[in-house]
Amino acid sequence: KVQLLIHVGIDTVTLQGHGFISHVKPGMTIRKGETLLSFDAAYLASQGKAATVVIIVTNLEDIHGCITKNLENKSAVLKISYK
């Protein structure tokens, strides 16, 4: 299993969740291709917030390799291989 911490935006905590939809809950098992999070980039911009996305793999000791991709292409963001 891979454990992820996903943070969207800079200083977006002040929005108190407005503009974000979480499609999963902590501890859930997800499958390849499932949507984890949606956010309204236009709303973030209207509030003066950048839509920077940070994804952190929190259990790297269990992972053999991790390849990241640019979000602009709207395909897979991470490719994980296990030990």
Side-chain angles (χ1 to χ4, degrees):
K1 293 183 180 182
V2 69
Q3 297 172 5
L4 300 176
L5 172 68
I6 303 171
H7 183 80
V8 179
I10 305 298
D11 194 32
T12 53
V13 71
T14 60
L15 301 176
Q16 300 179 340
H18 297 285
F20 297 91
I21 299 172
S22 177
H23 299 277
V24 296
K25 300 204 181 321
M28 283 180 65
T29 298
I30 59 168
R31 304 279 180 241
K32 178 181 176 181
E34 286 186 60
T35 300
L36 306 179
L37 172 75
S38 301
F39 64 94
D40 184 341
Y43 175 74
L44 295 183
S46 76
Q47 300 300 305
K49 309 298 183 188
T52 303
V53 177
V54 177
I55 301 172
I56 301 168
V57 178
T58 61
N59 63 326
L60 278 176
E61 66 278 358
D62 298 330
I63 305 301
H64 174 69
C66 181
I67 300 170
T68 60
K69 293 185 179 181
N70 188 332
L71 256 167
E72 297 289 328
N73 64 18
K74 298 183 182 177
S75 65
V77 176
L78 291 173
K79 182 176 181 181
I80 304 289
S81 55
Y82 298 96
K83 290 183 178 177

